[in-house]
Amino acid sequence: MKCSFLKQTVVFMKHYARCELSSKERFFAPLLFSATLLVMFNFSFGESIPRGYMVNIFVAEVFITLLFSLQLSFMRQFDLESEDNAFEVLRVSNVSYYALFLGKYFVSVISILCVVLPSVFLAWFFLAADLVDVEFSFYFYFSIFAALLGLSALGSLISALLQKLSGRELLYPLFFYPLGSPLFLLAQQIALFALEGKEIFSLLLVLLGLDLFYLVLALLLFDEIMT
Amino acid sequence: MMKVVFFFFFCLVLVWGSFLASSQVDVLQGEVYKILYIHVPNALCAFFSSFLLFLSSLFILLGKKKKFLPYAKASADIGFIFTLLTLVTGSIWGKPTWGTWWTWDARLTTTFLLAILYGAYHFLWQVAETTEKRMKICSVIGILIFADIPIIYKSVSWWRTLHQPPSLFVASSSPMSSSIYWPLVVSIILTLLFSLSLIVRRANNLKLAETLEEKAMKSSFS
């Protein structure tokens, strides 16, 4: 029986969501890693941050923590498929690779959001005393979400690509960070501008355009990897 | 092929030498503007190499033609060298004009990341030992590296940067005077031809190395 594309995507989403929920460490490991990074950052800076730079430091902390913890989440994305040779089965079955990728992609965006939001709160808490007068706009959170849209597409693609290589732990950051940097730099600037109340719409459009570009590219290339 | 490489190199040295020795001086930058004849062509060659990497990767991935593999690797190698040269010459230009060797400008940062990507491609090539793995993995990464080029090019428009906006490929006429514009175009064409000859030469060397490796494998089994 042939399943529609949408139905296949939903089935994959449900499956991957169950996988994410079944192993708690997939959520807690990046979260604890984020918390550790934030503690280290704040301890290193100590009380020496001038008040005028507090917002810049806060945004930088949030985004650097996000980028590092994303790597932890993405690197293990296709571990399950490799362990039980699910990729080989999927290759001979009649499923759409686009549906498989999108299922994985949507679940990864949601699960990473669950890591990022507590991390933002933690970063705010560490600098809370000096950030009380900063207005957290909707666009601050939206810039993080928009960065995740592109980074998740890129992260999933690189994870699938390097899955069977022996040195993937070394190679993954070498490709993920430089390729994801334009998204990261744009989102970081938008978040900063949003907190400072500056104009962000043109930059936001560029970021969303890049998200779409990376998603389409990742979809097309994922199909090539699978075939 | 070696003669062609030397020919273009000789022409390039001759042209650069004559531009550097010319008495023309920029009103604002003085003598230092002349590094433009080296810096801009190097940057364009770094981009051009990534375009060749993209084309080769596309042919490998879609056409399943492994004969383009050496060209992809050669493009990445030569692209890496030209990206480093771009960074070095840009830094030399930056000191007298901006007052610093390096600044966290969007164009500089994204170009530096391009150098890292070219370097990472080299490691990937070493790790992916079989031709099949290289055909798939290196080609996908090659396409992703090329996707970075429009971002580098547009970075001066998207971010507020110290780096000047595009002045060569603009819709209206170039803001440069023709006495600078045309020598620059000559320099760009020669450097592109030189980089192309280097890529072909490097690809031929890679093919030769592969043939020798295959022969050595066969003789060790027989």
Side-chain angles (χ1 to χ4, degrees):
Chain A
M1 193 177 75
K2 195 154 167 61
C3 235
S4 72
F5 175 76
L6 194 67
K7 207 169 179 183
Q8 281 186 29
T9 310
V10 173
V11 168
F12 278 120
M13 268 181 77
K14 280 182 183 169
H15 169 71
Y16 287 125
R18 271 198 297 273
C19 290
E20 288 287 321
L21 291 171
S22 65
S23 51
K24 303 277 184 295
E25 80 273 5
R26 291 175 84 89
F27 167 72
F28 281 111
L31 187 63
L32 288 175
F33 185 62
S34 300
T36 313
L37 278 177
L38 286 171
V39 169
M40 302 297 270
F41 274 128
N42 285 288
F43 182 77
S44 309
F45 288 125
E47 303 299 318
S48 62
I49 309 171
R51 209 180 147 69
Y53 290 103
M54 207 57 100
V55 177
N56 297 53
I57 297 288
F58 170 70
V59 174
E61 261 186 16
V62 166
F63 275 88
I64 289 172
T65 309
L66 164 80
L67 202 63
F68 280 115
S69 53
L70 281 181
Q71 192 209 328
L72 263 194
S73 306
F74 288 143
M75 262 189 77
R76 302 179 55 215
Q77 268 204 334
F78 289 94
D79 277 6
L80 283 174
E81 285 85 347
S82 297
E83 279 167 16
D84 49 16
N85 282 332
F87 265 149
E88 311 307 321
V89 179
L90 287 168
R91 274 201 186 103
V92 292
S93 64
N94 203 14
V95 295
S96 159
Y97 299 141
Y98 296 128
L100 169 70
F101 185 83
L102 284 177
K104 190 72 132 178
Y105 170 74
F106 287 127
V107 171
S108 79
V109 168
I110 295 164
S111 66
I112 290 161
L113 265 182
C114 295
V115 174
V116 169
L117 292 177
S119 305
V120 172
F121 172 76
L122 208 61
W124 170 80
F125 175 76
F126 286 142
L127 293 165
D130 298 284
L131 284 173
V132 281
D133 49 345
V134 172
E135 193 182 325
F136 281 86
S137 71
F138 161 78
Y139 290 108
F140 170 75
Y141 294 103
F142 189 74
S143 67
I144 295 175
F145 176 68
L148 278 184
L149 291 178
L151 289 171
S152 294
L154 195 65
S156 304
L157 177 72
I158 299 174
S159 181
L161 192 66
L162 302 179
Q163 194 60 41
K164 288 187 175 170
L165 281 186
S166 51
R168 78 180 168 116
E169 289 82 6
L170 287 173
L171 286 166
Y172 194 91
L174 275 180
F175 287 110
F176 178 66
Y177 292 137
L179 288 171
S181 289
L183 293 167
F184 169 80
L185 296 174
L186 264 174
Q188 194 256 358
Q189 184 134 39
I190 293 167
L192 187 63
F193 282 3
L195 289 182
E196 289 173 345
K198 290 181 184 168
E199 155 67 29
I200 54 163
F201 284 101
S202 53
L203 281 177
L204 202 58
L205 277 178
V206 174
L207 180 60
L208 290 173
L210 278 181
D211 284 340
L212 189 68
F213 173 69
Y214 273 116
L215 180 61
V216 172
L217 198 64
L219 270 172
L220 293 173
L221 293 175
F222 185 75
D223 190 51
E224 281 302 319
I225 296 168
M226 290 298 283
T227 50
Chain B
M1 195 64 221
M2 204 58 195
K3 284 176 188 165
V4 178
V5 174
F6 274 121
F7 171 72
F8 284 126
F9 183 68
F10 180 71
C11 290
L12 209 54
V13 170
L14 216 64
V15 166
W16 278 344
S18 65
F19 293 155
L20 294 178
S22 77
S23 56
Q24 197 178 21
V25 175
D26 185 69
V27 183
L28 293 172
Q29 298 182 47
E31 290 278 352
V32 78
Y33 91 94
K34 288 176 183 173
I35 203 165
L36 158 110
Y37 299 122
I38 301 172
H39 175 70
V40 177
N42 280 338
L44 287 175
C45 284
F47 294 170
F48 175 65
S49 302
S50 86
F51 176 65
L52 290 183
L53 172 64
F54 167 73
L55 276 186
S56 316
S57 303
L58 211 61
F59 287 138
I60 296 163
L61 211 58
L62 300 180
K64 311 282 179 241
K65 287 174 180 156
K66 73 171 185 178
K67 66 175 179 181
F68 288 104
L69 260 181
Y71 290 97
K73 174 75 167 86
S75 306
D77 288 349
I78 303 303
F80 180 63
I81 292 166
F82 276 103
T83 312
L84 287 184
L85 283 173
T86 306
L87 290 170
V88 171
T89 51
S91 194
I92 294 169
W93 197 1
K95 182 64 181 165
T97 49
W98 297 342
T100 178
W101 295 104
W102 184 265
T103 176
W104 290 110
D105 176 276
R107 174 64 70 85
L108 272 67
T109 310
T110 47
T111 308
F112 189 78
L113 290 169
L114 179 68
I116 293 175
L117 283 170
Y118 277 136
Y121 185 92
H122 177 75
F123 286 121
L124 183 68
W125 184 271
Q126 304 297 326
V127 172
E129 287 158 335
T130 61
T131 308
E132 287 70 30
K133 274 186 185 173
R134 281 175 182 168
M135 280 178 74
K136 192 155 272 187
I137 300 171
C138 294
S139 303
V140 171
I141 292 293
I143 292 169
L144 286 173
I145 291 175
F146 178 68
D148 209 31
I149 300 298
I151 299 169
I152 299 175
Y153 186 72
K154 291 298 288 181
S155 61
V156 284
S157 318
W158 292 343
W159 282 276
R160 284 180 305 176
T161 62
L162 263 179
H163 198 283
Q164 69 182 72
S167 48
L168 200 59
F169 304 111
V170 282
S172 54
S173 62
S174 173
M176 273 187 266
S177 79
S178 59
S179 60
I180 294 175
Y181 183 83
W182 288 110
L184 180 61
V185 170
V186 170
S187 189
I188 288 169
I189 293 169
L190 272 176
T191 317
L192 282 175
L193 287 171
F194 175 58
S195 72
L196 187 65
S197 66
L198 280 177
I199 289 170
V200 175
R201 171 78 187 166
R202 174 80 178 129
N204 287 342
N205 280 349
L206 286 167
K207 279 186 215 167
L208 197 64
E210 200 181 358
T211 314
L212 288 173
E213 214 171 287
E214 276 170 13
K215 275 187 182 168
M217 285 279 276
K218 276 180 191 166
S219 63
S220 66
F221 281 119
S222 58

